[in-house]
Amino acid sequence: MIKNLWAERTDRADRADHTDHADDPDYTDWHEDFTAERARRAALGDPDWARGARLPKALVRSIQRFQVGEDGDGAQLRAKADGAGDPVYAAAVALFVAEEQNHARLLARLLTAAGAPTLSGHWSDAAFVRLRRLLGLRLELLVLMVAEAVALQYYRALRDGCPDPMAAEVAGRILADEERHVPFHCRRLREGFAPLPYPARRAATLGWQGLLGAAALVVAYDHGPALRALGVPGGAFVRAVLGGSGAMAAAMDGRGPLPGAAVRRPGRAA
């Protein structure tokens, strides 16, 4: 069974010595965090692709679809962030987009190592992108948070359940990034919702949880064979996705605390 990632991450944050991004009056700390992570990635380098990867067909098909979802130039999100009036936040968003593009690159290299091609597109990603492009920054981030919450559980399942060491390593790197992305977006959404009355804020996060539940069901069905190969039945995957949504929603609408800074974990590639 997949553990509640949000609770696990919060426990680590409570124990760790770190700077609290929630106390940062602007996004300087977040920009520094993304910049430091970029330098750390460069120093770490890529996995040893020459080792190759052995993946069952169900996992190949699943990873191909997630690779499409990670790919993209992020131009719409960056433009909306540029228009928000905070250049430091906009710069942090640009670094976030670069991390997502790196995820797509890692997954593409993993597929190549397994002797599989990438896909030119997938209906689920096309629908998701169209929806996001119709929205302003606040609502686009809400939709983006659906993908982030699903990704947390998917990459954890891939890291912990895949017998191929290269695939597990790639999933671990991506998962560590996603764990940092969630509080980054939660903070911005909390600020965006702050001027609204509480009933409107709560309605927004309840709607987000409903959309998340629907997305989790679609992923559990569409990626069912791969999840079962990883030892995660579809129902368990949906419960895990929804299990972490309450704390995320509370962080976004102001009912609960914001998580602190990203937690560095010695010995784990991130």
Side-chain angles (χ1 to χ4, degrees), residues 220-251:
Y221 176 79
D222 201 29
H223 297 260
L227 291 171
R228 289 191 292 274
L230 297 172
V232 182
F237 179 80
V238 173
R239 288 192 297 274
V241 171
L242 293 178
S245 69
M248 293 181 199

Side-chain angles (χ1 to χ4, degrees), residues 143-219:
V143 176
L144 180 60
M145 274 291 293
V146 169
E148 296 287 315
V150 169
L152 283 175
Q153 300 298 348
Y154 177 80
Y155 289 119
R156 182 178 179 88
L158 184 59
R159 186 195 68 181
D160 294 348
C162 185
D164 181 79
M166 181 177 291
E169 179 183 351
V170 168
R173 293 186 184 210
I174 296 174
L175 174 61
D177 284 344
E178 301 293 2
E179 289 178 331
R180 292 170 37 256
H181 296 170
V182 166
F184 174 61
H185 297 313
C186 278
R187 175 184 164 175
R188 186 66 186 189
L189 284 164
R190 185 187 186 100
E191 292 172 350
F193 287 137
L196 301 178
Y198 171 75
R201 298 197 309 269
R202 187 67 184 111
T205 53
L206 283 171
W208 173 78
Q209 286 180 285
L211 182 61
L212 176 62
L217 285 170
V218 170
V219 172

Side-chain angles (χ1 to χ4, degrees), residues 86-104:
D86 184 343
V88 180
Y89 172 70
V93 167
L95 292 169
F96 156 74
V97 170
E99 288 193 359
E100 293 292 310
Q101 291 170 334
N102 185 58
H103 298 171

